[in-house]
Short mmCIF file of all heavy atoms in Angstrom, two decimals:
data_model
loop_
_atom_site.label_atom_id
_atom_site.label_comp_id
_atom_site.label_asym_id
_atom_site.label_seq_id
_atom_site.Cartn_x
_atom_site.Cartn_y
_atom_site.Cartn_z
N MET A 756 0.85 -1.21 0.00
CA MET A 756 0.00 0.00 0.00
C MET A 756 0.88 1.25 0.00
O MET A 756 1.93 1.29 0.63
CB MET A 756 -0.91 -0.02 1.21
CG MET A 756 -1.93 1.10 1.19
SD MET A 756 -3.29 0.80 2.31
CE MET A 756 -2.43 0.65 3.86
N LEU A 757 0.42 2.23 -0.70
CA LEU A 757 1.11 3.51 -0.80
C LEU A 757 1.27 4.14 0.58
O LEU A 757 0.32 4.23 1.33
CB LEU A 757 0.28 4.43 -1.69
CG LEU A 757 0.90 5.73 -2.18
CD1 LEU A 757 2.05 5.44 -3.11
CD2 LEU A 757 -0.16 6.55 -2.88
N LYS A 758 2.51 4.52 0.89
CA LYS A 758 2.70 5.25 2.13
C LYS A 758 2.25 6.68 1.91
O LYS A 758 2.65 7.31 0.93
CB LYS A 758 4.17 5.22 2.54
CG LYS A 758 4.53 4.00 3.35
CD LYS A 758 5.98 4.06 3.77
CE LYS A 758 6.79 3.15 2.89
NZ LYS A 758 8.02 3.64 2.38
N MET A 759 1.43 7.20 2.80
CA MET A 759 0.95 8.56 2.63
C MET A 759 1.83 9.47 3.49
O MET A 759 1.61 9.61 4.69
CB MET A 759 -0.52 8.65 3.06
CG MET A 759 -1.44 7.72 2.28
SD MET A 759 -1.54 8.06 0.52
CE MET A 759 -2.78 9.37 0.48
N LYS A 760 2.84 10.04 2.88
CA LYS A 760 3.70 10.95 3.62
C LYS A 760 2.92 12.23 3.93
O LYS A 760 2.13 12.69 3.11
CB LYS A 760 4.97 11.25 2.84
CG LYS A 760 5.85 10.02 2.74
CD LYS A 760 7.11 10.29 1.97
CE LYS A 760 7.86 8.98 1.77
NZ LYS A 760 8.93 9.10 0.77
N SER A 761 3.20 12.78 5.08
CA SER A 761 2.37 13.89 5.54
C SER A 761 3.03 15.25 5.37
O SER A 761 2.48 16.25 5.79
CB SER A 761 1.97 13.67 7.00
OG SER A 761 3.14 13.55 7.77
N ALA A 762 4.23 15.28 4.76
CA ALA A 762 4.89 16.56 4.56
C ALA A 762 5.65 16.58 3.24
O ALA A 762 6.15 15.56 2.77
CB ALA A 762 5.84 16.84 5.71
N CYS A 763 5.74 17.76 2.65
CA CYS A 763 6.51 17.95 1.42
C CYS A 763 8.00 17.74 1.72
O CYS A 763 8.50 18.28 2.71
CB CYS A 763 6.26 19.37 0.90
SG CYS A 763 7.35 19.82 -0.46
N GLU A 764 8.69 16.96 0.88
CA GLU A 764 10.10 16.67 1.14
C GLU A 764 11.00 17.86 0.87
O GLU A 764 12.15 17.89 1.27
CB GLU A 764 10.56 15.49 0.28
CG GLU A 764 9.92 14.21 0.76
CD GLU A 764 10.51 12.98 0.09
OE1 GLU A 764 11.65 13.03 -0.39
OE2 GLU A 764 9.80 11.97 0.06
N LYS A 765 10.49 18.84 0.15
CA LYS A 765 11.31 20.00 -0.19
C LYS A 765 11.15 21.13 0.82
O LYS A 765 12.12 21.58 1.41
CB LYS A 765 10.97 20.48 -1.60
CG LYS A 765 11.99 21.46 -2.16
CD LYS A 765 11.69 21.72 -3.62
CE LYS A 765 12.45 22.92 -4.14
NZ LYS A 765 13.88 22.63 -4.27
N CYS A 766 9.91 21.54 1.04
CA CYS A 766 9.69 22.71 1.89
C CYS A 766 9.08 22.36 3.25
O CYS A 766 8.96 23.23 4.10
CB CYS A 766 8.82 23.73 1.17
SG CYS A 766 7.11 23.22 1.00
N GLY A 767 8.71 21.10 3.43
CA GLY A 767 8.19 20.69 4.73
C GLY A 767 6.73 21.07 4.98
O GLY A 767 6.24 20.88 6.08
N ALA A 768 6.06 21.60 3.96
CA ALA A 768 4.64 21.94 4.13
C ALA A 768 3.85 20.68 4.44
O ALA A 768 4.15 19.61 3.91
CB ALA A 768 4.12 22.59 2.86
N SER A 769 2.87 20.80 5.31
CA SER A 769 2.10 19.60 5.65
C SER A 769 1.09 19.29 4.54
O SER A 769 0.51 20.17 3.93
CB SER A 769 1.41 19.77 7.00
OG SER A 769 0.49 20.82 6.95
N LEU A 770 0.93 18.00 4.28
CA LEU A 770 0.06 17.52 3.22
C LEU A 770 -0.98 16.61 3.85
O LEU A 770 -0.63 15.62 4.48
CB LEU A 770 0.87 16.73 2.19
CG LEU A 770 2.07 17.45 1.56
CD1 LEU A 770 2.96 16.45 0.84
CD2 LEU A 770 1.59 18.52 0.61
N SER A 771 -2.25 16.92 3.67
CA SER A 771 -3.27 16.05 4.24
C SER A 771 -3.56 14.91 3.26
O SER A 771 -3.39 15.06 2.05
CB SER A 771 -4.54 16.85 4.54
OG SER A 771 -5.06 17.36 3.34
N PRO A 772 -3.97 13.75 3.79
CA PRO A 772 -4.19 12.58 2.94
C PRO A 772 -5.23 12.80 1.85
O PRO A 772 -5.18 12.16 0.80
CB PRO A 772 -4.69 11.51 3.93
CG PRO A 772 -4.35 12.02 5.28
CD PRO A 772 -4.24 13.50 5.20
N ASP A 773 -6.17 13.72 2.11
CA ASP A 773 -7.19 13.97 1.10
C ASP A 773 -6.95 15.29 0.36
O ASP A 773 -7.80 15.77 -0.37
CB ASP A 773 -8.59 13.94 1.73
CG ASP A 773 -8.73 14.94 2.87
OD1 ASP A 773 -7.70 15.52 3.28
OD2 ASP A 773 -9.85 15.15 3.34
N GLY A 774 -5.77 15.88 0.56
CA GLY A 774 -5.45 17.12 -0.12
C GLY A 774 -4.60 16.88 -1.35
O GLY A 774 -4.33 15.73 -1.72
N THR A 775 -4.15 17.94 -1.99
CA THR A 775 -3.36 17.81 -3.21
C THR A 775 -1.89 17.60 -2.87
O THR A 775 -1.30 18.36 -2.11
CB THR A 775 -3.50 19.09 -4.06
OG1 THR A 775 -4.88 19.32 -4.28
CG2 THR A 775 -2.80 18.93 -5.40
N ALA A 776 -1.30 16.54 -3.43
CA ALA A 776 0.13 16.28 -3.27
C ALA A 776 0.60 15.58 -4.52
O ALA A 776 -0.20 15.03 -5.28
CB ALA A 776 0.35 15.41 -2.04
N TYR A 777 1.91 15.59 -4.74
CA TYR A 777 2.47 14.96 -5.93
C TYR A 777 3.55 13.99 -5.52
O TYR A 777 4.33 14.26 -4.60
CB TYR A 777 3.03 16.03 -6.88
CG TYR A 777 1.93 16.85 -7.50
CD1 TYR A 777 1.37 17.91 -6.80
CD2 TYR A 777 1.44 16.54 -8.75
CE1 TYR A 777 0.33 18.65 -7.35
CE2 TYR A 777 0.40 17.28 -9.31
CZ TYR A 777 -0.15 18.33 -8.61
OH TYR A 777 -1.17 19.06 -9.14
N ILE A 778 3.60 12.83 -6.19
CA ILE A 778 4.60 11.82 -5.86
C ILE A 778 5.29 11.31 -7.12
O ILE A 778 4.73 11.36 -8.21
CB ILE A 778 3.99 10.61 -5.12
CG1 ILE A 778 2.91 9.93 -5.98
CG2 ILE A 778 3.43 11.00 -3.77
CD1 ILE A 778 2.45 8.60 -5.41
N CYS A 779 6.52 10.79 -6.95
CA CYS A 779 7.18 10.07 -8.03
C CYS A 779 7.00 8.58 -7.76
O CYS A 779 6.40 8.19 -6.76
CB CYS A 779 8.65 10.44 -8.11
SG CYS A 779 9.63 9.68 -6.80
N SER A 780 7.55 7.73 -8.63
CA SER A 780 7.34 6.30 -8.46
C SER A 780 8.06 5.75 -7.23
O SER A 780 7.79 4.65 -6.78
CB SER A 780 7.78 5.54 -9.71
OG SER A 780 9.14 5.78 -9.94
N PHE A 781 9.00 6.51 -6.67
CA PHE A 781 9.67 6.09 -5.44
C PHE A 781 8.99 6.67 -4.21
O PHE A 781 9.53 6.58 -3.10
CB PHE A 781 11.14 6.50 -5.47
CG PHE A 781 11.93 5.78 -6.53
CD1 PHE A 781 12.23 6.41 -7.72
CD2 PHE A 781 12.34 4.47 -6.34
CE1 PHE A 781 12.95 5.75 -8.71
CE2 PHE A 781 13.04 3.79 -7.32
CZ PHE A 781 13.35 4.44 -8.52
N GLU A 782 7.85 7.30 -4.44
CA GLU A 782 7.06 7.88 -3.35
C GLU A 782 7.73 9.08 -2.68
O GLU A 782 7.47 9.36 -1.52
CB GLU A 782 6.67 6.81 -2.31
CG GLU A 782 5.80 5.74 -2.93
CD GLU A 782 5.36 4.66 -1.92
OE1 GLU A 782 5.54 4.87 -0.72
OE2 GLU A 782 4.84 3.65 -2.37
N CYS A 783 8.63 9.77 -3.39
CA CYS A 783 9.03 11.09 -2.92
C CYS A 783 7.79 11.96 -3.07
O CYS A 783 7.11 11.90 -4.08
CB CYS A 783 10.16 11.66 -3.77
SG CYS A 783 11.54 10.53 -4.04
N THR A 784 7.51 12.75 -2.06
CA THR A 784 6.25 13.47 -2.01
C THR A 784 6.46 14.98 -1.90
O THR A 784 7.28 15.42 -1.10
CB THR A 784 5.43 12.97 -0.79
OG1 THR A 784 5.37 11.55 -0.85
CG2 THR A 784 4.02 13.53 -0.80
N TYR A 785 5.74 15.73 -2.70
CA TYR A 785 5.90 17.19 -2.71
C TYR A 785 4.56 17.88 -2.75
O TYR A 785 3.57 17.34 -3.23
CB TYR A 785 6.74 17.62 -3.93
CG TYR A 785 8.08 16.95 -3.96
CD1 TYR A 785 8.27 15.81 -4.71
CD2 TYR A 785 9.12 17.45 -3.20
CE1 TYR A 785 9.51 15.15 -4.71
CE2 TYR A 785 10.36 16.81 -3.18
CZ TYR A 785 10.53 15.66 -3.95
OH TYR A 785 11.74 15.03 -3.93
N CYS A 786 4.56 19.12 -2.29
CA CYS A 786 3.35 19.92 -2.36
C CYS A 786 3.19 20.46 -3.79
O CYS A 786 4.12 20.39 -4.60
CB CYS A 786 3.41 21.07 -1.35
SG CYS A 786 4.62 22.35 -1.75
N ALA A 787 2.03 21.00 -4.07
CA ALA A 787 1.74 21.49 -5.43
C ALA A 787 2.68 22.63 -5.82
O ALA A 787 3.14 22.70 -6.97
CB ALA A 787 0.28 21.94 -5.50
N THR A 788 2.99 23.50 -4.88
CA THR A 788 3.86 24.65 -5.17
C THR A 788 5.25 24.20 -5.60
O THR A 788 5.79 24.66 -6.62
CB THR A 788 3.98 25.54 -3.92
OG1 THR A 788 2.67 25.80 -3.41
CG2 THR A 788 4.65 26.85 -4.25
N CYS A 789 5.85 23.27 -4.83
CA CYS A 789 7.19 22.78 -5.19
C CYS A 789 7.14 22.00 -6.50
O CYS A 789 8.06 22.11 -7.32
CB CYS A 789 7.74 21.90 -4.07
SG CYS A 789 8.10 22.80 -2.56
N THR A 790 6.11 21.22 -6.70
CA THR A 790 5.99 20.44 -7.93
C THR A 790 6.01 21.36 -9.15
O THR A 790 6.71 21.10 -10.12
CB THR A 790 4.68 19.62 -7.91
OG1 THR A 790 4.72 18.76 -6.78
CG2 THR A 790 4.55 18.78 -9.17
N GLN A 791 5.28 22.47 -9.04
CA GLN A 791 5.26 23.44 -10.13
C GLN A 791 6.64 24.07 -10.32
O GLN A 791 7.14 24.18 -11.43
CB GLN A 791 4.25 24.54 -9.84
CG GLN A 791 2.89 24.21 -10.41
CD GLN A 791 1.88 25.32 -10.15
OE1 GLN A 791 2.18 26.31 -9.49
NE2 GLN A 791 0.69 25.15 -10.68
N ALA A 792 7.27 24.44 -9.21
CA ALA A 792 8.58 25.09 -9.26
C ALA A 792 9.63 24.16 -9.88
O ALA A 792 10.56 24.60 -10.53
CB ALA A 792 9.00 25.51 -7.86
N MET A 793 9.46 22.84 -9.67
CA MET A 793 10.44 21.86 -10.18
C MET A 793 10.03 21.30 -11.53
O MET A 793 10.62 20.34 -12.01
CB MET A 793 10.58 20.71 -9.17
CG MET A 793 11.08 21.17 -7.83
SD MET A 793 11.32 19.81 -6.66
CE MET A 793 9.69 19.16 -6.50
N ASP A 794 8.98 21.89 -12.11
CA ASP A 794 8.51 21.47 -13.42
C ASP A 794 8.07 20.00 -13.42
O ASP A 794 8.29 19.26 -14.38
CB ASP A 794 9.62 21.68 -14.47
CG ASP A 794 9.02 21.99 -15.84
OD1 ASP A 794 7.83 22.28 -15.90
OD2 ASP A 794 9.78 21.92 -16.83
N ALA A 795 7.46 19.58 -12.30
CA ALA A 795 6.93 18.22 -12.14
C ALA A 795 7.97 17.12 -12.36
O ALA A 795 7.68 16.04 -12.85
CB ALA A 795 5.73 18.00 -13.05
N THR A 796 9.23 17.43 -11.97
CA THR A 796 10.28 16.42 -12.05
C THR A 796 10.87 16.22 -10.65
O THR A 796 11.21 17.19 -9.98
CB THR A 796 11.39 16.88 -13.02
OG1 THR A 796 10.81 17.08 -14.30
CG2 THR A 796 12.49 15.84 -13.13
N CYS A 797 10.99 14.97 -10.23
CA CYS A 797 11.52 14.68 -8.89
C CYS A 797 13.02 14.96 -8.86
O CYS A 797 13.78 14.43 -9.68
CB CYS A 797 11.27 13.22 -8.53
SG CYS A 797 12.00 12.77 -6.95
N PRO A 798 13.49 15.80 -7.92
CA PRO A 798 14.92 16.12 -7.85
C PRO A 798 15.75 14.94 -7.36
O PRO A 798 16.96 14.89 -7.58
CB PRO A 798 14.98 17.28 -6.86
CG PRO A 798 13.75 17.14 -6.03
CD PRO A 798 12.71 16.50 -6.90
N ASN A 799 15.13 13.98 -6.70
CA ASN A 799 15.88 12.82 -6.18
C ASN A 799 16.16 11.79 -7.26
O ASN A 799 17.22 11.19 -7.30
CB ASN A 799 15.09 12.14 -5.05
CG ASN A 799 14.90 13.06 -3.86
OD1 ASN A 799 15.63 14.03 -3.69
ND2 ASN A 799 13.90 12.78 -3.06
N CYS A 800 15.20 11.56 -8.13
CA CYS A 800 15.34 10.44 -9.07
C CYS A 800 15.08 10.86 -10.52
O CYS A 800 15.12 10.02 -11.41
CB CYS A 800 14.39 9.32 -8.68
SG CYS A 800 12.66 9.76 -8.87
N ASP A 801 14.83 12.14 -10.75
CA ASP A 801 14.52 12.64 -12.09
C ASP A 801 13.24 12.06 -12.67
O ASP A 801 12.99 12.13 -13.87
CB ASP A 801 15.67 12.39 -13.08
CG ASP A 801 16.87 13.27 -12.78
OD1 ASP A 801 16.66 14.39 -12.25
OD2 ASP A 801 18.00 12.84 -13.06
N GLY A 802 12.44 11.44 -11.82
CA GLY A 802 11.18 10.85 -12.27
C GLY A 802 10.08 11.89 -12.39
O GLY A 802 10.19 13.00 -11.86
N GLU A 803 9.04 11.50 -13.07
CA GLU A 803 7.89 12.38 -13.26
C GLU A 803 7.06 12.42 -11.99
O GLU A 803 6.82 11.39 -11.37
CB GLU A 803 7.06 11.80 -14.41
CG GLU A 803 5.95 12.69 -14.90
CD GLU A 803 5.12 11.98 -15.97
OE1 GLU A 803 5.40 10.81 -16.26
OE2 GLU A 803 4.19 12.60 -16.48
N LEU A 804 6.63 13.60 -11.59
CA LEU A 804 5.76 13.72 -10.43
C LEU A 804 4.31 13.74 -10.89
O LEU A 804 3.93 14.49 -11.77
CB LEU A 804 6.08 15.01 -9.66
CG LEU A 804 7.46 15.04 -8.98
CD1 LEU A 804 7.74 16.43 -8.45
CD2 LEU A 804 7.53 14.02 -7.85
N LEU A 805 3.53 12.88 -10.27
CA LEU A 805 2.12 12.78 -10.62
C LEU A 805 1.28 13.07 -9.40
O LEU A 805 1.70 12.85 -8.27
CB LEU A 805 1.80 11.37 -11.13
CG LEU A 805 2.51 10.96 -12.41
CD1 LEU A 805 2.25 9.50 -12.70
CD2 LEU A 805 2.05 11.81 -13.58
N ARG A 806 0.08 13.50 -9.65
CA ARG A 806 -0.83 13.80 -8.54
C ARG A 806 -1.08 12.54 -7.73
O ARG A 806 -1.39 11.48 -8.27
CB ARG A 806 -2.13 14.33 -9.13
CG ARG A 806 -3.17 14.60 -8.11
CD ARG A 806 -3.69 15.99 -8.10
NE ARG A 806 -4.45 16.12 -6.88
CZ ARG A 806 -5.74 16.45 -6.84
NH1 ARG A 806 -6.35 16.78 -7.93
NH2 ARG A 806 -6.37 16.48 -5.70
N ARG A 807 -0.93 12.64 -6.43
CA ARG A 807 -1.17 11.50 -5.55
C ARG A 807 -2.66 11.25 -5.44
O ARG A 807 -3.42 12.18 -5.23
CB ARG A 807 -0.58 11.81 -4.18
CG ARG A 807 -0.71 10.66 -3.19
CD ARG A 807 0.07 10.95 -1.94
NE ARG A 807 -0.57 11.95 -1.10
CZ ARG A 807 -0.12 12.31 0.10
NH1 ARG A 807 0.97 11.79 0.56
NH2 ARG A 807 -0.75 13.22 0.81
N PRO A 808 -3.08 10.00 -5.56
CA PRO A 808 -4.50 9.73 -5.36
C PRO A 808 -4.86 10.07 -3.93
O PRO A 808 -4.10 9.77 -3.02
CB PRO A 808 -4.65 8.23 -5.62
CG PRO A 808 -3.28 7.67 -5.62
CD PRO A 808 -2.30 8.79 -5.82
N SER A 809 -6.00 10.70 -3.73
CA SER A 809 -6.35 11.07 -2.37
C SER A 809 -6.93 9.87 -1.64
O SER A 809 -7.48 8.96 -2.24
CB SER A 809 -7.35 12.22 -2.37
OG SER A 809 -8.49 11.84 -3.09
N ARG A 810 -6.74 9.86 -0.35
CA ARG A 810 -7.27 8.76 0.46
C ARG A 810 -8.32 9.34 1.39
O ARG A 810 -7.99 10.08 2.31
CB ARG A 810 -6.12 8.13 1.25
CG ARG A 810 -6.58 6.97 2.09
CD ARG A 810 -5.41 6.28 2.74
NE ARG A 810 -4.55 5.65 1.75
CZ ARG A 810 -3.37 5.10 2.03
NH1 ARG A 810 -2.92 5.14 3.24
NH2 ARG A 810 -2.65 4.54 1.09
N VAL A 811 -9.56 9.03 1.10
CA VAL A 811 -10.63 9.61 1.92
C VAL A 811 -11.14 8.64 2.97
O VAL A 811 -11.79 9.03 3.92
CB VAL A 811 -11.80 10.13 1.05
CG1 VAL A 811 -11.37 11.33 0.23
CG2 VAL A 811 -12.32 9.04 0.13
N ARG A 812 -10.85 7.36 2.77
CA ARG A 812 -11.28 6.38 3.77
C ARG A 812 -10.08 5.87 4.54
O ARG A 812 -8.96 5.90 4.06
CB ARG A 812 -12.00 5.22 3.07
CG ARG A 812 -13.27 5.67 2.38
CD ARG A 812 -13.94 4.50 1.70
NE ARG A 812 -14.43 3.52 2.64
CZ ARG A 812 -14.83 2.30 2.28
NH1 ARG A 812 -14.78 1.93 1.02
NH2 ARG A 812 -15.27 1.45 3.17
N LYS A 813 -10.33 5.37 5.73
CA LYS A 813 -9.24 4.84 6.54
C LYS A 813 -8.85 3.45 6.03
O LYS A 813 -9.68 2.69 5.55
CB LYS A 813 -9.69 4.73 8.00
CG LYS A 813 -9.92 6.08 8.63
CD LYS A 813 -9.96 5.95 10.16
CE LYS A 813 -10.06 7.30 10.82
NZ LYS A 813 -11.41 7.88 10.65
N ALA A 814 -7.56 3.15 6.13
CA ALA A 814 -7.03 1.87 5.64
C ALA A 814 -7.80 0.68 6.22
O ALA A 814 -8.08 -0.29 5.53
CB ALA A 814 -5.55 1.76 5.99
N LEU A 815 -8.17 0.79 7.47
CA LEU A 815 -8.87 -0.29 8.15
C LEU A 815 -10.25 -0.54 7.53
O LEU A 815 -10.66 -1.68 7.34
CB LEU A 815 -9.02 0.08 9.63
CG LEU A 815 -8.91 -1.09 10.61
CD1 LEU A 815 -7.53 -1.74 10.52
CD2 LEU A 815 -9.13 -0.59 12.04
N GLU A 816 -10.96 0.54 7.21
CA GLU A 816 -12.27 0.41 6.57
C GLU A 816 -12.15 -0.30 5.24
O GLU A 816 -12.95 -1.15 4.89
CB GLU A 816 -12.85 1.80 6.28
CG GLU A 816 -13.42 2.54 7.45
CD GLU A 816 -13.85 3.94 7.00
OE1 GLU A 816 -14.39 4.06 5.89
OE2 GLU A 816 -13.61 4.89 7.76
N VAL A 817 -11.13 0.10 4.47
CA VAL A 817 -10.94 -0.48 3.14
C VAL A 817 -10.60 -1.96 3.27
O VAL A 817 -11.13 -2.80 2.55
CB VAL A 817 -9.84 0.27 2.37
CG1 VAL A 817 -9.59 -0.38 1.02
CG2 VAL A 817 -10.25 1.72 2.18
N ALA A 818 -9.77 -2.30 4.24
CA ALA A 818 -9.40 -3.70 4.46
C ALA A 818 -10.65 -4.52 4.79
O ALA A 818 -10.83 -5.63 4.29
CB ALA A 818 -8.37 -3.80 5.58
N ALA A 819 -11.52 -3.95 5.61
CA ALA A 819 -12.76 -4.64 5.98
C ALA A 819 -13.62 -4.88 4.75
O ALA A 819 -14.18 -5.97 4.57
CB ALA A 819 -13.51 -3.83 7.03
N THR A 820 -13.73 -3.89 3.90
CA THR A 820 -14.51 -4.02 2.67
C THR A 820 -13.92 -5.10 1.77
O THR A 820 -14.64 -5.94 1.21
CB THR A 820 -14.54 -2.68 1.90
OG1 THR A 820 -15.03 -1.68 2.79
CG2 THR A 820 -15.44 -2.77 0.68
N GLN A 821 -12.58 -5.11 1.66
CA GLN A 821 -11.93 -6.11 0.82
C GLN A 821 -12.18 -7.51 1.33
O GLN A 821 -12.45 -8.43 0.56
CB GLN A 821 -10.41 -5.83 0.76
CG GLN A 821 -10.07 -4.63 -0.09
CD GLN A 821 -8.62 -4.21 0.06
OE1 GLN A 821 -7.97 -4.48 1.06
NE2 GLN A 821 -8.10 -3.57 -0.96
N ILE A 822 -12.13 -7.69 2.64
CA ILE A 822 -12.37 -9.01 3.24
C ILE A 822 -13.81 -9.44 3.00
O ILE A 822 -14.08 -10.56 2.59
CB ILE A 822 -12.03 -8.99 4.75
CG1 ILE A 822 -10.52 -8.88 4.93
CG2 ILE A 822 -12.57 -10.25 5.44
CD1 ILE A 822 -10.08 -8.53 6.32
N LYS A 823 -14.73 -8.51 3.20
CA LYS A 823 -16.16 -8.82 2.97
C LYS A 823 -16.39 -9.29 1.55
O LYS A 823 -17.10 -10.25 1.31
CB LYS A 823 -17.01 -7.58 3.24
CG LYS A 823 -17.59 -7.55 4.64
CD LYS A 823 -18.53 -6.37 4.79
CE LYS A 823 -18.22 -5.60 6.06
NZ LYS A 823 -18.71 -4.22 5.99
N GLN A 824 -15.75 -8.57 0.61
CA GLN A 824 -15.96 -8.94 -0.79
C GLN A 824 -15.38 -10.31 -1.10
O GLN A 824 -15.92 -11.06 -1.90
CB GLN A 824 -15.35 -7.87 -1.70
CG GLN A 824 -16.29 -6.67 -1.82
CD GLN A 824 -15.70 -5.54 -2.61
OE1 GLN A 824 -14.53 -5.55 -2.95
NE2 GLN A 824 -16.51 -4.54 -2.91
N LYS A 825 -14.30 -10.64 -0.42
CA LYS A 825 -13.70 -11.95 -0.61
C LYS A 825 -14.61 -13.05 -0.07
O LYS A 825 -14.80 -14.09 -0.68
CB LYS A 825 -12.36 -11.99 0.15
CG LYS A 825 -11.28 -12.73 -0.60
CD LYS A 825 -9.98 -12.62 0.15
CE LYS A 825 -8.80 -12.67 -0.79
NZ LYS A 825 -7.54 -12.35 -0.11
N LEU A 826 -15.19 -12.78 1.10
CA LEU A 826 -16.02 -13.78 1.75
C LEU A 826 -17.37 -13.95 1.08
O LEU A 826 -17.86 -15.05 0.88
CB LEU A 826 -16.25 -13.40 3.23
CG LEU A 826 -15.03 -13.51 4.14
CD1 LEU A 826 -15.39 -13.04 5.54
CD2 LEU A 826 -14.52 -14.95 4.18
N PHE A 827 -17.97 -12.81 0.73
CA PHE A 827 -19.36 -12.87 0.25
C PHE A 827 -19.44 -12.71 -1.26
O PHE A 827 -20.53 -12.70 -1.83
CB PHE A 827 -20.22 -11.85 0.98
CG PHE A 827 -20.16 -12.03 2.47
CD1 PHE A 827 -19.59 -11.08 3.28
CD2 PHE A 827 -20.65 -13.20 3.05
CE1 PHE A 827 -19.51 -11.27 4.67
CE2 PHE A 827 -20.57 -13.39 4.43
CZ PHE A 827 -20.00 -12.43 5.24
N GLY A 828 -18.29 -12.57 -1.88
CA GLY A 828 -18.18 -12.71 -3.33
C GLY A 828 -18.69 -11.60 -4.20
O GLY A 828 -19.43 -10.77 -3.76
N LYS A 829 -18.34 -11.58 -5.38
CA LYS A 829 -18.77 -10.87 -6.55
C LYS A 829 -19.31 -9.46 -6.34
O LYS A 829 -20.47 -9.24 -6.23
CB LYS A 829 -19.75 -11.71 -7.34
CG LYS A 829 -19.10 -13.05 -7.62
CD LYS A 829 -19.99 -13.98 -8.43
CE LYS A 829 -19.35 -15.38 -8.47
NZ LYS A 829 -20.22 -16.33 -9.14
ZN1 LIG B 1113 6.81 21.96 -0.92
ZN1 LIG B 1114 11.78 10.53 -6.79
#
């Protein structure tokens, strides 16, 4: 599962799980302002920064749903 880092690695701004953040494939995480300033390129790995999917539900809730679907099917 994607680790949801809670702060921008460049400027330290806090990032909420359901707010706007950008990540590279190594999960370096940045705020929208830094992403724009860096032209959407990760300074650590030169990878493309993409918008992080927001997480609006808690991991535990999702796990419960996944188990239910496995047990009760289709
Ligand atoms: Zn930042
Ligand atoms: Zn990176």
Side-chain angles (χ1 to χ4, degrees):
M756 187 162 59
L757 191 66
K758 274 182 257 135
M759 302 297 276
K760 292 180 187 167
S761 58
C763 171
E764 290 189 23
K765 193 171 166 72
C766 71
S769 63
L770 304 166
S771 63
D773 57 350
T775 305
Y777 290 82
I778 59 170
C779 75
S780 60
F781 294 101
E782 298 181 12
C783 310
T784 308
Y785 303 96
C786 69
T788 311
C789 292
T790 301
Q791 269 182 356
M793 299 183 298
D794 211 14
T796 301
C797 176
N799 297 339
C800 67
D801 289 331
E803 190 184 2
L804 293 171
L805 297 173
R806 176 123 192 238
R807 183 171 74 175
S809 58
R810 181 174 294 172
V811 292
R812 296 179 66 193
K813 293 196 175 73
L815 216 62
E816 284 175 39
V817 177
T820 305
Q821 286 170 335
I822 290 166
K823 264 186 228 157
Q824 280 175 351
K825 219 175 209 171
L826 290 177
F827 304 114
K829 306 181 189 175

